[in-house]
Amino acid sequence: MSKFVDVILPVPIGACFTYILRQEDENVKIGCRVIIPFGKKKIYTGIVWRIKDTAPEGIADIKEVYSVLDKQPIINSKQRKFWEWMSSYYLCSLGDIFKAAIPSGMKIESETYVMLTPDFDEDIKLTNKESIIYNSLKANKEQTIAQIEKSTQEKNILSSIKSLIEKGVVSIRESLNNKYHSLKKANITLNQAYNTPAIINELISQVQRGRSENQYRALTTYLNLIHYDESSNEISAVDKKELTSQSSTSDAIINSMVKKGIFNIVYEKLNRIKEFVSTQDAPNALNEYQQEALNSINKNFDQKDVCLLNGVTSSGKTEIYIHLIHKTIECKKQVLYLLPEIALTTQITNRLKKIFGKDLGVYHSKFSDAERVEIWQKQLSDNAYKVILGVRSSIFLPFQDLGLIIVDEEHENSYKQYDPSPRYNARDCATVLAHIYNAKTLLGTATPSIESYYNAANQKYGYVELNTRYKEIQLPHIVPVDMKELRHKKRNVGSFSPLLIEEINNALQRKEQIILFQNRRGYAPIIECKECGWIPKCKNCDVSLTYHKKLNQLTCHYCGYTITIPQECPSCHNHDLRPHGLGTEKVEDEISNLFPNIKVSRMDLDTTRTSKSAYEKIISNFENKKSDILIGTQMVSKGLDFDNVSIVGILDADSLLNFPDFRAHERAFQLMAQVSGRAGRKGKQGLVILQTRTPDDPIIKHVIKNDYLAMYESQLMERQLFHYPPFFRIIYIYMKHHNENVLENASNIMAELTRYSFHNRVLGPDKPLIGRIQSLHIRRIVLKLESHSSIKQAGNILNQIKSQVLSDKRFSSVTIYFDVDPQ
């Protein structure tokens, strides 16, 4: 009797697809990868989700599985349960989760190649875009879609490719693409026939008589490089690269000696992942406040699965984490330690590796895909990492026996995935994943999210406070500076107040370091014509272009569109184009002019994406006092520990407050409190200069007093009044299309149908703050559901409405997706 499998594919389609197994593959297990055909020509790697003995009704022609890739599952039953919860809660397909979770190197797929058709009719009339594609293929006769887009600089070429196929100008073929290849080293050994000194001497004479000087040199060099191991009675192999280098020969010489039977090549599989070495046996001793907090956490874990640790900055939360990790490993369980940013992994890795050594694995997107594949494979092995340190994607790794998840800086919105789907929050997912494994979750922060604090206040979570900084250092002294008044009196120095300049100068004289925080990269957010007010805009998005001085270009931070700085205004031809606003690049420029002899470093997206080690280099240089001033965006606010920073400057606090979002004030408090906490972390109290035009704003006052509770209570009152979390759940319904009129009609119908089911819980459709990105117009509908409502039930209704709208031919090309619990 034939067996059938339901398979999920890495495509955004909700359903599983049924295939029939070949007889030799009928021992396949759920969670294994299979190669399957899809559509007319495509080939994908799928994951077996169910195995069944009968075929689904109504399907006449069931395709056959091409091959099974695994003997053992690559995802376990707990992961499958987790994926199903994510799909249900975040209203996305299992295919979306598959695509996000599994490294690309584990997904063999077919790729489409386009080539010119021999002997096609050259008199056929082509459009301008078709001609560009045709000329590109004449120069390089076979290219992928991505390669054609890159070589022609044309976008959205699929319709033109389709037209060229119909005209007989091009044809396509599918080719399997395996992105992962194990790293191997070629080692050279002597053929076993040459097993005595006498025979080896005869071989040397034979090679010499053959008058091949290169081969003679290669052989004698090999004999000088080998080592004899008396215990195993074996002769060591020699690295092929070392042999060619030491003997001044080439690969071709070595390969010819292999063909002659003198040498053998033995390939050794190498591990791409660096293994750490521990330097201490046990964690450092805790002080009395840390020990008390640790005892309280353990006590809370006896009653609750989730505990919130609210510890002020520099209170030593990481040491508490290390003790919890050590205890969990002693209980033969694994630990997942989540961080919001890759930048933080450098410092935390250095601390964890001292104690956990080879038991520590690090996982984030700066690793190559091949490295991520090998970490995944190691987690499936009998020698899995006991501790994984990583960012939000780490929740997808296969854990065998998870005992603890630590979510550090739990308030950070970096834990939320925005695009592409699944649009999940790793903090919330961590609590569910831990529950599936019967593990515990610790949420750590100095500025809890309102939702987490509310859950703790209502005893859904355990709660522990740590209010004393390590070595009892005082919290930084925060001094507000009224920039509006200073500008009115013309006393400010560029972007800086006289007080900040004075304190920076004093700190530099004391050989102390400074952090300057400005949450906007680039030189200036806009340039403007002084005469007519013209501002250059992105051609694809409804945003102004950001000025990057060092690159001498204007850039869109949404789609990447760039242009050079215009010489004159295209509207009035005036040559006076001036930058307005403040970005990190301008701060760097101004501070270098004010203090020409000091070393300045900048940490933002522009400086950290240049290389894999860019984060580490910037942090290491500042940590080792190779730079005096660190200028950065919110990256510098997230848990970094620098022991010589005495001054922090918050340059434009108002830019954090004036944002049309219900979380704006909460985020502003968290960012300013967190970046303030970088000051005075060892030895003495730090100083924070907070520059603002609204010193009387309630949030500014809460930051100055470090009064989280006052901020929480004021925001909670507003949230309850206007039906926001934690009292209501929010679902954003996004709709996108190239044609704004089509989108307007579709969004009105979608809102009407949604309102019919959910009544006054629906707001919109409205145009978001940025109403067009990458040439797609955007509309948003807001759905507010009571916190006790079922997201799954709401999702079923929303998916039915979505299908109803898309079934209308006018709207079939409209993109509709849902964002549950937007941040």
Side-chain angles (χ1 to χ4, degrees):
M1 181 184 289
S2 297
K3 280 195 174 182
F4 301 87
V5 287
D6 285 343
V7 176
I8 60 168
L9 306 178
V11 292
I13 300 173
C16 289
F17 295 87
T18 303
Y19 291 83
I20 189 170
L21 285 167
R22 299 177 302 173
Q23 192 171 0
E24 60 266 34
D25 293 330
E26 287 187 353
N27 290 327
V28 68
K29 297 176 182 177
I30 292 172
C32 288
R33 293 173 301 159
V34 289
I35 302 292
I36 46 92
F38 186 72
K40 291 183 179 179
K41 293 182 177 179
K42 296 294 286 184
I43 298 168
Y44 281 109
T45 300
I47 291 180
V48 175
W49 210 249
R50 280 181 291 271
I51 301 173
K52 47 195 184 183
D53 295 323
T54 56
E57 294 180 6
I59 301 178
D61 185 23
I62 299 178
K63 294 178 180 178
E64 188 177 70
V65 170
Y66 282 169
S67 65
V68 175
L69 293 178
D70 307 302
K71 291 182 179 178
Q72 297 297 326
I74 65 153
I75 64 168
N76 58 43
S77 59
K78 289 182 171 64
Q79 284 175 285
R80 295 200 309 275
K81 188 175 180 180
F82 179 55
W83 286 21
E84 285 171 344
W85 172 82
M86 280 190 75
S87 173
S88 172
Y89 187 83
Y90 289 106
L91 310 184
C92 61
S93 69
L94 285 168
D96 286 325
I97 299 168
F98 178 11
K99 194 166 185 178
I102 305 293
S104 296
M106 299 178 75
K107 298 188 287 252
I108 298 170
E109 295 179 7
S110 63
E111 196 160 25
T112 303
Y113 284 83
V114 183
M115 65 206 84
L116 290 177
T117 305
D119 306 322
F120 71 90
D121 186 355
E122 294 195 15
D123 293 329
I124 292 175
K125 190 175 180 181
L126 303 179
T127 66
N128 183 51
K129 188 181 275 192
E130 288 170 359
S131 297
I132 293 170
I133 295 168
Y134 167 71
N135 289 328
S136 176
L137 287 168
K138 275 183 76 174
N140 190 352
K141 294 188 177 179
E142 188 174 270
Q143 298 180 53
T144 65
I145 303 292
Q147 287 169 339
I148 294 171
E149 286 185 338
K150 187 176 180 180
S151 64
T152 62
Q153 297 296 304
E154 295 285 339
K155 301 293 181 186
N156 305 314
I157 64 170
L158 287 177
S159 58
S160 298
I161 296 287
K162 184 180 178 184
S163 175
L164 287 168
I165 293 170
E166 290 168 352
K167 291 175 180 178
V169 177
V170 302
S171 59
I172 60 172
R173 73 172 181 86
E174 296 292 316
S175 176
L176 274 182
N177 183 14
N178 187 359
K179 298 175 184 176
Y180 172 74
H181 300 281
S182 58
L183 186 63
K184 294 178 180 178
K185 182 177 79 169
N187 292 324
I188 300 301
T189 61
L190 196 62
N191 193 311
Q192 288 183 351
Y194 307 105
N195 54 7
T196 66
I199 296 175
I200 291 173
N201 286 332
E202 175 58 33
L203 173 64
I204 294 170
S205 301
Q206 184 183 334
V207 172
Q208 221 171 0
R209 288 196 300 271
R211 296 182 182 180
S212 173
E213 186 181 332
N214 286 329
Q215 290 189 12
Y216 175 75
R217 201 163 56 247
L219 179 58
T220 53
T221 302
Y222 167 82
L223 293 170
N224 285 328
L225 289 172
I226 59 175
H227 300 286
Y228 177 69
D229 186 346
E230 292 183 1
S231 60
S232 62
N233 198 28
E234 288 182 357
I235 295 173
S236 65
V238 175
D239 184 352
K240 187 181 181 184
K241 286 184 180 178
E242 185 184 4
L243 180 57
T244 54
S245 173
Q246 295 281 347
S247 62
S248 301
T249 55
S250 64
D251 276 355
I253 297 297
I254 305 300
N255 291 339
S256 69
M257 295 176 76
V258 171
K259 285 182 180 178
K260 289 179 179 179
I262 298 171
F263 286 152
N264 294 321
I265 296 182
V266 179
Y267 289 99
E268 177 189 354
K269 186 177 178 181
L270 299 178
N271 190 354
R272 289 181 170 91
I273 310 303
K274 179 183 175 183
E275 196 170 87
F276 300 117
V277 178
S278 60
T279 55
Q280 63 185 82
D281 296 329
N284 299 323
L286 300 178
N287 64 28
E288 60 177 304
Y289 305 106
Q290 291 170 319
Q291 188 62 53
E292 188 180 335
L294 178 60
N295 294 341
S296 296
I297 290 166
N298 287 324
K299 193 178 290 185
N300 272 281
F301 278 156
D302 290 338
Q303 306 293 326
K304 312 277 186 187
D305 289 335
V306 184
C307 181
L308 174 64
L309 172 60
N310 183 1
V312 295
T313 54
S314 196
S315 57
K317 293 188 291 294
T318 306
E319 281 300 328
I320 294 173
Y321 300 157
I322 290 170
H323 277 256
L324 285 165
I325 293 167
H326 194 262
K327 178 185 173 185
T328 306
I329 291 174
E330 283 183 337
C331 295
K332 310 297 183 187
K333 301 271 188 178
Q334 292 172 294
V335 179
L336 171 59
Y337 187 149
L338 286 175
L339 294 167
E341 289 277 358
I342 295 169
L344 290 179
T345 59
T346 303
Q347 284 195 331
I348 301 297
T349 299
N350 289 336
R351 293 180 68 174
L352 295 185
K353 72 181 183 183
K354 292 176 185 177
I355 299 158
F356 304 112
K358 64 181 181 180
D359 290 332
L360 174 66
V362 182
Y363 190 81
H364 54 65
S365 60
K366 286 289 180 182
F367 284 166
S368 69
D369 189 67
E371 287 171 318
R372 292 200 294 274
V373 169
E374 291 186 7
I375 292 171
W376 191 286
Q377 290 172 340
K378 185 173 174 67
Q379 289 306 93
L380 293 169
S381 72
D382 295 333
N383 189 32
Y385 289 117
K386 293 171 184 173
V387 185
I388 287 288
L389 175 69
V391 292
R392 62 174 180 252
S393 58
S394 306
I395 62 169
F396 294 116
L397 282 169
F399 291 94
Q400 297 174 24
D401 200 358
L402 191 61
L404 174 67
I405 300 180
I406 296 167
V407 185
D408 199 12
E409 310 293 351
E410 66 85 24
H411 64 279
E412 282 289 348
N413 64 339
S414 303
Y415 282 121
K416 173 71 174 182
Q417 163 77 13
Y418 292 99
D419 277 314
S421 183
R423 295 171 179 85
Y424 65 97
N425 188 315
R427 177 199 63 200
D428 300 337
C429 288
T431 62
V432 175
L433 182 66
H435 178 74
I436 291 170
Y437 277 89
N438 197 26
K440 304 295 183 183
T441 307
L442 180 66
L443 309 177
T445 178
T447 53
S449 65
I450 284 176
E451 288 91 334
S452 293
Y453 195 85
Y454 180 82
N455 283 334
N458 286 275
Q459 299 187 345
K460 183 178 178 182
Y461 295 169
Y463 181 72
V464 176
E465 278 190 351
L466 183 58
N467 293 323
T468 307
R469 284 185 132 193
Y470 190 67
K471 294 188 178 178
E472 300 187 47
I473 299 165
Q474 288 181 289
L475 285 166
H477 178 51
I478 302 176
V479 179
V481 177
D482 190 341
M483 295 300 286
K484 187 177 180 181
E485 184 181 342
L486 285 175
R487 285 198 176 96
H488 181 69
K489 294 178 179 178
K490 296 184 178 178
R491 290 183 54 209
N492 57 302
V493 184
S495 307
F496 309 101
S497 62
L499 177 62
L500 181 55
I501 295 294
E502 181 187 348
E503 292 298 340
I504 290 173
N505 194 45
N506 292 340
L508 291 170
Q509 288 178 8
R510 296 191 302 264
K511 304 294 183 186
E512 293 169 348
Q513 291 171 296
I514 300 99
I515 289 177
L516 298 177
F517 170 68
Q518 173 58 21
N519 203 29
R520 187 186 289 272
R521 62 190 172 102
Y523 188 86
I526 60 170
I527 62 168
E528 183 181 27
C529 172
K530 188 187 176 186
E531 189 68 29
C532 71
W534 172 81
I535 295 172
K537 301 282 183 72
C538 176
K539 70 172 186 177
N540 305 314
C541 311
D542 287 345
V543 293
S544 57
L545 296 172
T546 300
Y547 174 37
H548 289 258
K549 186 178 179 181
K550 287 187 177 177
L551 298 173
N552 192 36
Q553 67 183 23
L554 298 170
T555 302
C556 174
H557 289 168
Y558 286 86
C559 72
Y561 171 73
T562 59
I563 59 171
T564 54
I565 309 294
Q567 297 299 309
E568 61 176 31
C569 171
S571 180
C572 69
H573 305 292
N574 177 46
H575 287 80
D576 193 0
L577 302 176
R578 297 185 179 182
H580 286 285
L582 183 64
T584 49
E585 194 181 353
K586 186 177 181 182
V587 177
E588 183 183 25
D589 217 16
E590 289 185 0
I591 209 77
S592 297
N593 290 331
L594 288 166
F595 302 96
N597 298 319
I598 57 109
K599 294 172 185 173
V600 180
S601 58
R602 174 163 56 94
M603 189 160 79
D604 56 26
L605 190 59
D606 296 325
T607 59
T608 54
R609 66 181 172 190
T610 54
S611 70
K612 181 179 175 179
S613 60
Y615 280 112
E616 294 179 19
K617 190 174 180 182
I618 293 167
I619 293 168
S620 175
N621 283 347
F622 194 65
E623 207 168 23
N624 296 319
K625 303 176 181 60
K626 292 180 181 177
S627 56
D628 304 298
I629 298 180
L630 176 63
I631 298 161
T633 56
Q634 59 181 321
M635 289 180 183
V636 302
S637 72
K638 300 179 180 181
L640 295 170
D641 186 1
F642 302 116
D643 60 16
N644 195 43
V645 173
S646 62
I647 305 295
V648 165
I650 299 173
L651 300 184
D652 184 12
D654 307 292
S655 64
L656 304 172
L657 295 167
N658 302 323
F659 198 79
D661 184 84
F662 73 93
R663 296 187 196 275
H665 283 186
E666 176 192 6
R667 282 204 188 118
F669 178 91
Q670 288 165 341
L671 263 175
M672 287 188 275
Q674 288 284 342
V675 78
S676 298
R678 303 312 112 205
R681 297 176 68 82
K682 276 195 182 174
K684 67 174 188 176
Q685 185 181 29
L687 177 66
V688 178
I689 310 297
L690 193 156
Q691 298 185 166
T692 174
R693 294 181 296 280
T694 56
D696 293 326
D697 187 287
I699 292 296
I700 299 292
K701 289 183 175 180
H702 295 331
V703 172
I704 292 166
K705 295 177 182 176
N706 192 39
D707 194 346
Y708 173 84
L709 200 58
M711 183 279 296
Y712 167 78
E713 288 172 348
S714 67
Q715 290 300 299
L716 201 67
M717 199 182 304
E718 286 187 19
R719 301 273 185 99
Q720 189 167 22
L721 185 63
F722 295 107
H723 293 183
Y724 281 111
F727 304 100
F728 279 72
R729 281 201 173 103
I730 306 292
I731 301 176
Y732 286 162
I733 304 165
Y734 281 103
M735 305 179 71
K736 297 181 179 181
H737 199 266
H738 290 285
N739 186 308
E740 191 167 15
N741 290 329
V742 170
L743 180 64
E744 191 70 33
N745 291 331
S747 61
N748 284 331
I749 291 171
M750 183 85 186
E752 187 181 328
L753 292 171
T754 307
R755 201 168 278 113
Y756 179 80
S757 295
F758 295 98
H759 312 296
N760 62 352
R761 299 177 182 87
V762 181
L763 301 174
D766 64 5
K767 197 173 184 178
L769 183 64
I770 300 169
R772 184 174 62 103
I773 296 176
Q774 296 181 357
S775 300
L776 289 170
H777 296 277
I778 307 168
R779 292 293 180 273
R780 184 183 67 178
I781 300 165
V782 180
L783 175 59
K784 297 182 178 180
L785 297 172
E786 292 81 357
S787 58
H788 60 266
S789 300
S790 166
I791 290 287
K792 184 175 181 180
Q793 190 176 347
N796 291 336
I797 296 169
L798 288 173
N799 278 315
Q800 288 173 11
I801 295 170
K802 175 182 173 180
S803 299
Q804 189 175 341
V805 172
L806 295 178
S807 65
D808 188 325
K809 290 182 180 178
R810 295 173 299 166
F811 310 134
S812 59
S813 57
V814 173
T815 298
I816 303 174
Y817 64 85
F818 310 111
D819 185 4
V820 179
D821 298 339
Q823 293 293 305

